[in-house]
Coordinates of all heavy atoms in Angstrom, one line a residue:
M22 N 170.1 155.1 -128.5 CA 170.1 156.6 -128.7 C 171.6 157.1 -128.6 O 172.2 156.8 -127.6 CB 169.2 157.2 -127.8 CG 169.2 158.7 -127.9 SD 167.9 159.5 -127.0 CE 168.6 160.0 -125.5
T23 N 172.0 157.8 -129.5 CA 173.4 158.4 -129.4 C 173.4 159.7 -128.7 O 172.6 160.6 -129.0 CB 173.9 158.6 -130.9 OG1 174.0 157.4 -131.5 CG2 175.3 159.2 -130.8
L24 N 174.2 159.8 -127.7 CA 174.3 161.0 -126.9 C 175.2 162.0 -127.6 O 176.2 161.6 -128.2 CB 174.9 160.7 -125.5 CG 174.0 159.9 -124.6 CD1 174.8 159.7 -123.3 CD2 172.7 160.6 -124.3
S25 N 174.9 163.3 -127.6 CA 175.7 164.2 -128.3 C 177.0 164.5 -127.5 O 177.1 164.1 -126.3 CB 175.0 165.6 -128.4 OG 175.0 166.3 -127.3
A26 N 178.0 165.0 -128.1 CA 179.3 165.3 -127.5 C 179.2 166.2 -126.4 O 180.1 166.2 -125.5 CB 180.3 165.8 -128.6
N27 N 178.2 167.0 -126.3 CA 178.1 168.0 -125.2 C 177.4 167.5 -123.9 O 177.4 168.2 -122.9 CB 177.3 169.2 -125.7 CG 178.1 170.0 -126.8 OD1 179.3 170.0 -126.7 ND2 177.4 170.5 -127.8
V28 N 176.8 166.3 -124.0 CA 176.1 165.7 -122.9 C 177.1 165.3 -121.8 O 178.2 164.8 -122.1 CB 175.2 164.5 -123.3 CG1 174.7 163.7 -122.1 CG2 174.1 165.0 -124.2
V29 N 176.7 165.5 -120.5 CA 177.6 165.2 -119.4 C 177.0 164.0 -118.7 O 176.1 164.1 -117.9 CB 177.7 166.4 -118.4 CG1 178.6 166.0 -117.2 CG2 178.3 167.6 -119.1
P30 N 177.5 162.8 -119.0 CA 176.9 161.6 -118.4 C 177.5 161.3 -117.0 O 178.6 161.7 -116.6 CB 177.4 160.4 -119.3 CG 178.7 160.9 -119.9 CD 178.5 162.4 -120.0
R31 N 176.6 160.7 -116.2 CA 177.0 160.4 -114.8 C 176.3 159.0 -114.5 O 175.3 158.7 -115.1 CB 176.6 161.4 -113.8 CG 175.2 161.6 -113.6 CD 174.9 162.8 -112.6 NE 173.5 162.8 -112.1 CZ 172.5 163.1 -112.9 NH1 172.6 163.3 -114.2 NH2 171.3 163.2 -112.4
L32 N 176.9 158.3 -113.5 CA 176.4 157.1 -113.1 C 175.0 157.2 -112.5 O 174.7 158.1 -111.7 CB 177.3 156.5 -112.0 CG 177.1 155.0 -111.7 CD1 177.4 154.1 -112.9 CD2 178.1 154.6 -110.6
S33 N 174.1 156.3 -112.9 CA 172.8 156.3 -112.3 C 172.8 156.0 -110.8 O 173.7 155.3 -110.3 CB 171.9 155.2 -113.0 OG 170.7 155.0 -112.3
S34 N 171.9 156.6 -110.1 CA 171.9 156.4 -108.6 C 171.6 155.0 -108.1 O 171.9 154.7 -107.0 CB 170.9 157.4 -108.0 OG 169.6 157.1 -108.4
H35 N 171.2 154.1 -109.0 CA 170.9 152.7 -108.7 C 172.2 151.9 -108.7 O 172.1 150.7 -108.3 CB 169.9 152.1 -109.7 CG 168.6 152.9 -109.7 ND1 167.7 152.8 -108.7 CD2 168.1 153.7 -110.6 CE1 166.7 153.6 -109.0 NE2 166.9 154.1 -110.2
Y36 N 173.3 152.5 -109.1 CA 174.5 151.7 -109.3 C 175.7 152.3 -108.5 O 175.7 153.5 -108.2 CB 175.0 151.6 -110.7 CG 174.0 150.9 -111.6 CD1 172.9 151.5 -112.2 CD2 174.1 149.5 -111.8 CE1 172.0 150.9 -113.0 CE2 173.2 148.8 -112.6 CZ 172.2 149.5 -113.2 OH 171.3 148.8 -113.9
V37 N 176.6 151.4 -108.0 CA 177.8 151.8 -107.4 C 179.0 151.3 -108.3 O 179.0 150.1 -108.6 CB 177.9 151.2 -106.0 CG1 179.3 151.5 -105.4 CG2 176.8 151.8 -105.1
F38 N 179.9 152.2 -108.7 CA 181.0 151.8 -109.5 C 182.2 151.8 -108.6 O 182.5 152.7 -107.9 CB 181.1 152.8 -110.6 CG 182.4 152.7 -111.4 CD1 182.5 151.7 -112.3 CD2 183.4 153.6 -111.3 CE1 183.7 151.5 -113.1 CE2 184.6 153.5 -112.0 CZ 184.7 152.4 -113.0
R39 N 183.0 150.7 -108.7 CA 184.2 150.6 -107.9 C 185.2 149.5 -108.4 O 184.7 148.6 -109.1 CB 183.9 150.4 -106.4 CG 183.4 149.1 -106.1 CD 183.3 148.9 -104.6 NE 183.0 147.6 -104.2 CZ 182.2 147.2 -103.2 NH1 181.7 148.1 -102.4 NH2 182.0 146.0 -102.9
W40 N 186.4 149.7 -108.0 CA 187.4 148.6 -108.3 C 187.2 147.5 -107.2 O 187.1 147.8 -106.0 CB 188.8 149.2 -108.2 CG 189.9 148.1 -108.3 CD1 190.6 147.5 -107.3 CD2 190.3 147.5 -109.5 NE1 191.4 146.6 -107.8 CE2 191.3 146.5 -109.2 CE3 190.0 147.7 -110.9 CZ2 191.9 145.7 -110.1 CZ3 190.6 146.9 -111.8 CH2 191.6 145.9 -111.5
E41 N 187.1 146.3 -107.7 CA 187.0 145.1 -106.8 C 188.2 144.3 -106.9 O 188.4 143.6 -107.9 CB 185.7 144.4 -107.1 CG 185.4 143.2 -106.2 CD 185.0 143.7 -104.8 OE1 184.3 144.7 -104.7 OE2 185.5 143.0 -103.9
E42 N 189.0 144.3 -105.8 CA 190.3 143.6 -105.9 C 190.1 142.1 -106.1 O 190.8 141.5 -106.8 CB 191.1 143.9 -104.6 CG 192.5 143.4 -104.6 CD 193.3 144.1 -105.7 OE1 193.2 145.3 -105.8 OE2 194.1 143.4 -106.3
S43 N 189.1 141.5 -105.4 CA 188.8 140.1 -105.6 C 188.5 139.7 -107.0 O 188.7 138.5 -107.4 CB 187.7 139.6 -104.6 OG 186.5 140.2 -104.9
Q44 N 187.9 140.6 -107.7 CA 187.6 140.3 -109.1 C 188.7 140.8 -110.1 O 188.6 140.5 -111.3 CB 186.3 141.1 -109.5 CG 185.1 140.7 -108.7 CD 184.4 139.4 -109.3 OE1 184.5 139.1 -110.4 NE2 183.8 138.7 -108.4
A45 N 189.6 141.6 -109.6 CA 190.7 142.2 -110.4 C 190.0 143.0 -111.5 O 190.5 142.9 -112.7 CB 191.7 141.2 -110.8
A46 N 189.0 143.7 -111.2 CA 188.3 144.5 -112.3 C 187.4 145.5 -111.6 O 187.1 145.5 -110.4 CB 187.4 143.5 -113.1
Y47 N 187.0 146.5 -112.5 CA 185.9 147.4 -112.1 C 184.6 146.7 -112.1 O 184.4 145.8 -113.0 CB 185.9 148.6 -113.0 CG 187.0 149.6 -112.7 CD1 188.1 149.7 -113.6 CD2 187.0 150.4 -111.6 CE1 189.2 150.6 -113.4 CE2 188.0 151.3 -111.4 CZ 189.1 151.4 -112.2 OH 190.1 152.3 -112.0
I48 N 183.7 147.0 -111.2 CA 182.4 146.4 -111.2 C 181.3 147.5 -111.0 O 181.6 148.6 -110.5 CB 182.3 145.4 -110.1 CG1 182.5 146.0 -108.7 CG2 183.2 144.2 -110.3 CD1 182.0 145.1 -107.6
L49 N 180.1 147.2 -111.4 CA 178.9 148.0 -111.1 C 178.1 147.1 -110.2 O 177.7 146.0 -110.5 CB 178.1 148.2 -112.4 CG 178.5 149.4 -113.3 CD1 177.6 149.4 -114.5 CD2 178.5 150.7 -112.5
L50 N 177.9 147.6 -109.0 CA 177.0 147.0 -108.0 C 175.6 147.6 -108.1 O 175.4 148.8 -108.3 CB 177.5 147.2 -106.6 CG 178.8 146.5 -106.2 CD1 179.2 147.0 -104.8 CD2 178.6 145.0 -106.2
Y51 N 174.6 146.7 -108.0 CA 173.2 147.2 -108.0 C 172.5 146.2 -107.1 O 173.0 145.1 -106.7 CB 172.6 147.3 -109.4 CG 172.6 146.0 -110.2 CD1 171.4 145.3 -110.4 CD2 173.8 145.5 -110.8 CE1 171.4 144.1 -111.1 CE2 173.8 144.3 -111.5 CZ 172.6 143.6 -111.7 OH 172.5 142.5 -112.4
P52 N 171.2 146.5 -106.7 CA 170.6 145.7 -105.7 C 170.4 144.2 -106.0 O 170.5 143.4 -105.1 CB 169.2 146.3 -105.6 CG 169.4 147.8 -105.9 CD 170.5 147.7 -107.0
E53 N 170.3 143.9 -107.3 CA 170.2 142.5 -107.7 C 171.5 141.7 -107.9 O 171.5 140.6 -108.2 CB 169.3 142.4 -108.9 CG 167.9 142.9 -108.7 CD 167.7 144.4 -108.9 OE1 168.6 145.0 -109.5 OE2 166.8 144.9 -108.3
G54 N 172.6 142.4 -107.9 CA 173.9 141.7 -108.2 C 175.0 142.7 -108.6 O 175.1 143.8 -108.1
L55 N 175.8 142.2 -109.5 CA 177.0 143.0 -109.9 C 177.3 142.7 -111.4 O 176.9 141.6 -111.9 CB 178.2 142.8 -109.1 CG 179.0 141.5 -109.1 CD1 180.0 141.5 -110.2 CD2 179.7 141.3 -107.8
I56 N 177.9 143.6 -112.0 CA 178.3 143.5 -113.4 C 179.9 143.7 -113.4 O 180.3 144.7 -112.9 CB 177.7 144.5 -114.3 CG1 176.2 144.4 -114.3 CG2 178.2 144.4 -115.7 CD1 175.4 145.6 -114.8
K57 N 180.6 142.7 -113.8 CA 182.0 142.8 -114.0 C 182.4 143.4 -115.3 O 181.9 143.0 -116.3 CB 182.7 141.4 -113.8 CG 184.2 141.4 -113.9 CD 184.8 140.1 -113.7 CE 186.3 140.1 -113.8 NZ 186.9 138.7 -113.6
L58 N 183.1 144.5 -115.3 CA 183.4 145.3 -116.5 C 184.8 144.9 -117.0 O 185.7 144.6 -116.3 CB 183.4 146.8 -116.2 CG 182.0 147.3 -115.6 CD1 182.2 148.7 -115.1 CD2 181.0 147.2 -116.7
N59 N 184.9 144.9 -118.3 CA 186.3 144.8 -118.9 C 187.1 146.1 -118.7 O 186.5 147.1 -118.3 CB 186.2 144.3 -120.4 CG 185.7 145.4 -121.3 OD1 185.8 146.6 -121.0 ND2 185.2 144.9 -122.4
G60 N 188.3 146.0 -119.0 CA 189.2 147.2 -118.7 C 188.8 148.5 -119.4 O 188.8 149.5 -118.9
S61 N 188.4 148.3 -120.7 CA 187.9 149.5 -121.5 C 186.7 150.1 -120.9 O 186.6 151.3 -120.7 CB 187.7 149.1 -122.9 OG 188.8 148.7 -123.5
A62 N 185.7 149.3 -120.5 CA 184.5 149.8 -119.9 C 184.7 150.5 -118.6 O 184.2 151.5 -118.3 CB 183.5 148.6 -119.7
G63 N 185.6 149.9 -117.8 CA 186.0 150.5 -116.5 C 186.6 151.9 -116.7 O 186.3 152.9 -116.0
E64 N 187.5 152.0 -117.7 CA 188.2 153.3 -118.0 C 187.2 154.3 -118.4 O 187.3 155.5 -118.1 CB 189.3 153.1 -119.0 CG 190.5 152.4 -118.5 CD 191.3 153.1 -117.4 OE1 191.3 154.3 -117.3 OE2 191.8 152.4 -116.5
I65 N 186.2 153.9 -119.2 CA 185.2 154.9 -119.7 C 184.3 155.3 -118.5 O 184.1 156.5 -118.3 CB 184.4 154.3 -120.8 CG1 185.3 154.1 -122.1 CG2 183.2 155.2 -121.2 CD1 184.6 153.2 -123.1
L66 N 183.8 154.3 -117.8 CA 182.9 154.6 -116.7 C 183.5 155.5 -115.6 O 182.8 156.3 -115.0 CB 182.3 153.4 -116.1 CG 181.0 152.8 -116.8 CD1 180.5 151.6 -116.0 CD2 180.0 153.8 -117.0
K67 N 184.7 155.3 -115.3 CA 185.3 156.1 -114.2 C 185.4 157.6 -114.6 O 185.5 158.4 -113.8 CB 186.7 155.5 -113.7 CG 187.9 155.8 -114.6 CD 189.1 155.1 -113.9 CE 190.4 155.3 -114.7 NZ 191.5 154.7 -114.0
R68 N 185.3 157.8 -115.9 CA 185.3 159.2 -116.4 C 183.9 159.8 -116.5 O 183.8 161.0 -116.8 CB 186.1 159.3 -117.7 CG 187.6 159.0 -117.6 CD 188.3 158.8 -118.9 NE 189.7 158.8 -118.8 CZ 190.4 157.8 -118.4 NH1 189.8 156.6 -118.0 NH2 191.8 157.8 -118.3
C69 N 182.9 159.0 -116.4 CA 181.5 159.5 -116.4 C 181.1 159.9 -115.0 O 180.3 159.3 -114.3 CB 180.6 158.3 -116.9 SG 180.9 157.9 -118.6
D70 N 181.7 161.0 -114.6 CA 181.6 161.5 -113.3 C 180.7 162.7 -113.1 O 180.7 163.3 -112.0 CB 183.0 161.9 -112.8 CG 183.7 162.9 -113.7 OD1 183.1 163.4 -114.6 OD2 185.0 163.1 -113.5
G71 N 180.0 163.1 -114.1 CA 179.1 164.2 -114.1 C 179.8 165.5 -114.2 O 179.2 166.6 -114.1
Q72 N 181.1 165.5 -114.5 CA 181.9 166.7 -114.6 C 182.3 166.9 -116.1 O 182.6 168.0 -116.5 CB 183.2 166.6 -113.8 CG 182.9 166.4 -112.3 CD 182.2 167.5 -111.7 OE1 182.5 168.7 -111.8 NE2 181.1 167.2 -110.9
R73 N 182.5 165.8 -116.8 CA 183.0 165.9 -118.2 C 181.9 165.5 -119.2 O 181.1 164.6 -118.9 CB 184.2 164.9 -118.4 CG 185.3 165.2 -117.6 CD 186.3 164.0 -117.8 NE 186.4 163.3 -116.5 CZ 187.5 162.8 -116.1 NH1 188.6 162.8 -116.8 NH2 187.5 162.2 -114.9
N74 N 181.9 166.2 -120.3 CA 181.0 165.8 -121.4 C 181.6 164.7 -122.2 O 182.8 164.3 -122.0 CB 180.6 167.0 -122.3 CG 181.8 167.6 -123.0 OD1 182.8 167.0 -123.2 ND2 181.6 168.9 -123.4
V75 N 180.8 164.1 -123.1 CA 181.3 163.0 -123.9 C 182.5 163.3 -124.6 O 183.5 162.5 -124.7 CB 180.1 162.5 -124.8 CG1 180.7 161.4 -125.8 CG2 178.9 162.0 -124.0
A76 N 182.6 164.5 -125.2 CA 183.8 164.9 -126.0 C 185.0 165.0 -125.0 O 186.1 164.5 -125.4 CB 183.6 166.3 -126.6
G77 N 184.8 165.5 -123.8 CA 185.9 165.5 -122.9 C 186.4 164.1 -122.4 O 187.6 163.9 -122.2
I78 N 185.5 163.2 -122.3 CA 185.8 161.8 -121.9 C 186.6 161.2 -123.1 O 187.7 160.6 -122.8 CB 184.5 161.0 -121.6 CG1 183.9 161.5 -120.4 CG2 184.9 159.5 -121.6 CD1 182.5 161.0 -120.1
V79 N 186.2 161.4 -124.3 CA 186.9 160.9 -125.4 C 188.3 161.5 -125.5 O 189.3 160.7 -125.6 CB 186.2 161.1 -126.8 CG1 187.0 160.8 -128.0 CG2 184.9 160.3 -126.8
T80 N 188.5 162.8 -125.3 CA 189.8 163.4 -125.4 C 190.7 162.9 -124.3 O 191.9 162.6 -124.5 CB 189.6 164.9 -125.2 OG1 188.8 165.4 -126.3 CG2 190.9 165.7 -125.2
D81 N 190.1 162.7 -123.1 CA 190.9 162.2 -122.0 C 191.4 160.8 -122.2 O 192.6 160.5 -122.0 CB 190.1 162.2 -120.7 CG 190.9 162.0 -119.4 OD1 192.0 162.7 -119.3 OD2 190.6 161.1 -118.6
L82 N 190.6 160.0 -122.8 CA 191.0 158.6 -123.1 C 192.0 158.6 -124.2 O 193.0 157.8 -124.2 CB 189.8 157.8 -123.5 CG 188.8 157.4 -122.4 CD1 187.5 156.9 -122.9 CD2 189.5 156.3 -121.5
Q83 N 191.9 159.4 -125.2 CA 192.8 159.5 -126.3 C 194.2 160.0 -125.8 O 195.2 159.5 -126.3 CB 192.4 160.5 -127.4 CG 191.2 159.9 -128.2 CD 190.5 160.9 -129.1 OE1 190.6 162.1 -128.9 NE2 189.9 160.4 -130.1
T84 N 194.2 160.8 -124.8 CA 195.5 161.3 -124.2 C 196.1 160.1 -123.3 O 197.3 159.9 -123.4 CB 195.2 162.5 -123.3 OG1 194.7 163.5 -124.1 CG2 196.5 163.0 -122.6
A85 N 195.2 159.5 -122.6 CA 195.7 158.4 -121.7 C 196.2 157.2 -122.4 O 197.1 156.4 -122.0 CB 194.6 158.0 -120.7
F86 N 195.6 156.9 -123.6 CA 195.9 155.7 -124.4 C 196.1 156.1 -125.8 O 195.3 155.9 -126.7 CB 194.7 154.7 -124.3 CG 194.4 154.3 -122.9 CD1 193.3 154.9 -122.2 CD2 195.1 153.4 -122.2 CE1 193.0 154.6 -120.9 CE2 194.8 153.0 -120.9 CZ 193.7 153.6 -120.3
P87 N 197.3 156.7 -126.1 CA 197.6 157.2 -127.4 C 197.6 156.0 -128.4 O 197.9 154.9 -128.1 CB 199.0 157.8 -127.3 CG 199.5 157.5 -126.0 CD 198.4 156.9 -125.2
G88 N 197.2 156.3 -129.6 CA 197.1 155.3 -130.6 C 196.0 155.7 -131.6 O 196.0 156.8 -132.1
N89 N 195.1 154.8 -131.9 CA 194.1 155.0 -132.9 C 192.9 155.8 -132.3 O 192.0 155.3 -131.7 CB 193.5 153.6 -133.3 CG 192.6 153.8 -134.5 OD1 192.1 154.8 -134.8 ND2 192.5 152.7 -135.3
T90 N 193.0 157.1 -132.5 CA 192.1 158.1 -131.9 C 190.7 157.8 -132.5 O 189.7 158.0 -131.7 CB 192.5 159.5 -132.1 OG1 192.7 159.8 -133.5 CG2 193.8 159.8 -131.4
D91 N 190.5 157.5 -133.7 CA 189.2 157.2 -134.3 C 188.5 156.0 -133.6 O 187.4 156.1 -133.3 CB 189.3 157.0 -135.8 CG 189.6 158.3 -136.6 OD1 189.3 159.4 -136.0 OD2 190.1 158.2 -137.7
A92 N 189.3 155.0 -133.4 CA 188.7 153.8 -132.8 C 188.3 154.1 -131.3 O 187.3 153.6 -130.9 CB 189.7 152.6 -132.8
I93 N 189.1 154.9 -130.6 CA 188.8 155.2 -129.2 C 187.5 156.1 -129.2 O 186.6 155.8 -128.4 CB 190.0 156.0 -128.6 CG1 191.1 155.0 -128.3 CG2 189.5 156.7 -127.3 CD1 192.4 155.7 -127.8
S94 N 187.4 157.0 -130.2 CA 186.2 157.8 -130.2 C 185.0 157.0 -130.5 O 183.9 157.1 -129.8 CB 186.4 158.9 -131.3 OG 185.2 159.7 -131.4
R95 N 185.0 156.1 -131.5 CA 183.9 155.3 -131.9 C 183.5 154.3 -130.7 O 182.3 154.2 -130.4 CB 184.2 154.5 -133.1 CG 184.1 155.3 -134.4 CD 184.1 154.4 -135.6 NE 185.3 153.4 -135.6 CZ 186.5 153.7 -136.1 NH1 186.8 154.9 -136.5 NH2 187.4 152.8 -136.0
S96 N 184.5 153.6 -130.2 CA 184.2 152.6 -129.1 C 183.7 153.3 -127.8 O 182.8 152.8 -127.2 CB 185.3 151.7 -128.9 OG 186.5 152.4 -128.4
T97 N 184.2 154.5 -127.5 CA 183.8 155.2 -126.3 C 182.3 155.6 -126.5 O 181.5 155.4 -125.6 CB 184.7 156.4 -126.0 OG1 186.0 155.9 -125.8 CG2 184.2 157.2 -124.8
Q98 N 182.0 156.2 -127.7 CA 180.6 156.7 -127.9 C 179.7 155.5 -127.9 O 178.6 155.5 -127.3 CB 180.6 157.4 -129.3 CG 179.2 157.9 -129.6 CD 178.8 159.1 -128.8 OE1 179.5 160.1 -128.8 NE2 177.7 159.0 -128.1
A99 N 180.1 154.4 -128.5 CA 179.2 153.2 -128.5 C 179.0 152.7 -127.1 O 177.8 152.3 -126.8 CB 179.9 152.1 -129.4
F100 N 180.0 152.6 -126.3 CA 179.8 152.1 -124.9 C 179.0 153.1 -124.1 O 178.1 152.6 -123.3 CB 181.2 151.9 -124.2 CG 181.0 151.4 -122.8 CD1 180.6 150.1 -122.5 CD2 181.0 152.3 -121.7 CE1 180.4 149.7 -121.2 CE2 180.8 151.9 -120.4 CZ 180.5 150.6 -120.2
I101 N 179.2 154.4 -124.2 CA 178.4 155.3 -123.5 C 176.9 155.2 -123.9 O 176.0 155.2 -123.0 CB 178.9 156.8 -123.6 CG1 180.2 156.9 -122.8 CG2 177.9 157.8 -123.2 CD1 181.0 158.2 -123.1
D102 N 176.6 155.1 -125.2 CA 175.3 154.9 -125.6 C 174.6 153.6 -125.1 O 173.5 153.6 -124.6 CB 175.2 154.9 -127.1 CG 175.6 156.2 -127.8 OD1 175.5 157.2 -127.1 OD2 175.9 156.2 -129.0
L103 N 175.4 152.5 -125.1 CA 174.9 151.2 -124.5 C 174.7 151.4 -123.0 O 173.6 150.9 -122.5 CB 176.0 150.1 -124.8 CG 175.7 148.8 -124.1 CD1 174.6 148.1 -124.9 CD2 176.9 148.0 -124.1
A104 N 175.6 152.0 -122.3 CA 175.4 152.1 -120.9 C 174.2 153.0 -120.5 O 173.5 152.7 -119.5 CB 176.7 152.8 -120.3
Q105 N 173.9 154.0 -121.3 CA 172.7 154.8 -121.1 C 171.5 154.0 -121.4 O 170.5 154.0 -120.6 CB 172.7 156.1 -121.9 CG 171.6 156.9 -121.4 CD 171.1 158.0 -122.4 OE1 171.4 157.9 -123.6 NE2 170.3 158.9 -121.9
D106 N 171.5 153.2 -122.5 CA 170.4 152.4 -122.8 C 170.1 151.3 -121.8 O 168.9 151.0 -121.5 CB 170.6 151.6 -124.2 CG 170.6 152.6 -125.4 OD1 170.1 153.7 -125.2 OD2 171.0 152.2 -126.5
K107 N 171.1 150.8 -121.1 CA 170.9 149.8 -120.0 C 170.6 150.5 -118.7 O 170.3 149.8 -117.7 CB 172.2 149.0 -119.9 CG 172.5 148.1 -121.0 CD 173.7 147.2 -120.7 CE 173.8 146.1 -121.8 NZ 172.9 145.0 -121.6
G108 N 170.6 151.8 -118.6 CA 170.2 152.5 -117.4 C 171.4 152.7 -116.5 O 171.2 153.2 -115.3
W109 N 172.6 152.4 -116.9 CA 173.8 152.6 -116.0 C 174.1 154.0 -115.9 O 174.7 154.5 -114.9 CB 175.0 151.8 -116.6 CG 174.8 150.3 -116.7 CD1 173.8 149.6 -116.2 CD2 175.7 149.4 -117.4 NE1 174.0 148.3 -116.6 CE2 175.1 148.2 -117.3 CE3 176.9 149.6 -118.1 CZ2 175.7 147.0 -117.9 CZ3 177.5 148.5 -118.7 CH2 176.9 147.2 -118.6
L110 N 173.9 154.8 -117.0 CA 174.3 156.2 -117.0 C 173.0 157.1 -117.2 O 172.1 156.6 -117.8 CB 175.2 156.5 -118.1 CG 176.6 155.9 -118.1 CD1 177.4 156.2 -119.4 CD2 177.4 156.4 -116.9
Q111 N 173.1 158.3 -116.6 CA 172.1 159.3 -116.8 C 172.8 160.5 -117.5 O 174.0 160.7 -117.3 CB 171.5 159.8 -115.5 CG 170.9 158.7 -114.7 CD 170.4 159.3 -113.3 OE1 169.6 158.7 -112.8 NE2 170.9 160.4 -112.8
A112 N 172.0 161.2 -118.3 CA 172.6 162.4 -119.0 C 171.9 163.6 -118.4 O 170.8 163.6 -117.9 CB 172.4 162.3 -120.5

């Protein structure tokens, strides 16, 4: 399901998001284990703080990583939709 640009995603209460030095990556901890995230996923999830809507997250990423704004928009939306489908995010 595609979330609209006005939706404000936040991490599900079943997960803990943090930087793990030993993994040199952002991770999602949950009772059964952990998920090691790639750099892009970590940058997106750290912005899913319950304060910004999807459009704001995309804008912030486009500012932080200038370049192909269309690709950033598409990949951010795709990841947020996937993360919600997996239950990592709530809207």
Side-chain angles (χ1 to χ4, degrees):
M22 176 166 97
T23 299
L24 295 178
S25 81
N27 295 323
V28 170
V29 179
R31 70 183 189 293
L32 194 63
S33 171
S34 62
H35 301 289
Y36 294 89
V37 173
F38 172 74
R39 71 176 188 210
W40 174 260
E41 184 66 41
E42 193 62 43
S43 65
Q44 299 279 332
Y47 285 104
I48 61 167
L49 277 178
L50 291 172
Y51 60 104
E53 296 84 22
L55 70 87
I56 301 162
K57 183 178 178 179
L58 302 167
N59 69 24
S61 297
E64 289 296 329
I65 295 167
L66 275 186
K67 78 179 180 182
R68 290 166 170 82
C69 294
D70 54 10
Q72 304 296 313
R73 298 174 246 214
N74 62 21
V75 173
I78 292 167
V79 169
T80 299
D81 191 51
L82 287 164
Q83 290 170 334
T84 301
F86 303 99
N89 190 338
T90 57
D91 289 336
I93 290 172
S94 179
R95 284 191 309 274
S96 61
T97 300
Q98 183 71 56
F100 178 78
I101 288 173
D102 292 341
L103 174 76
Q105 190 204 12
D106 289 346
K107 290 185 172 283
W109 300 349
L110 293 175
Q111 302 179 160

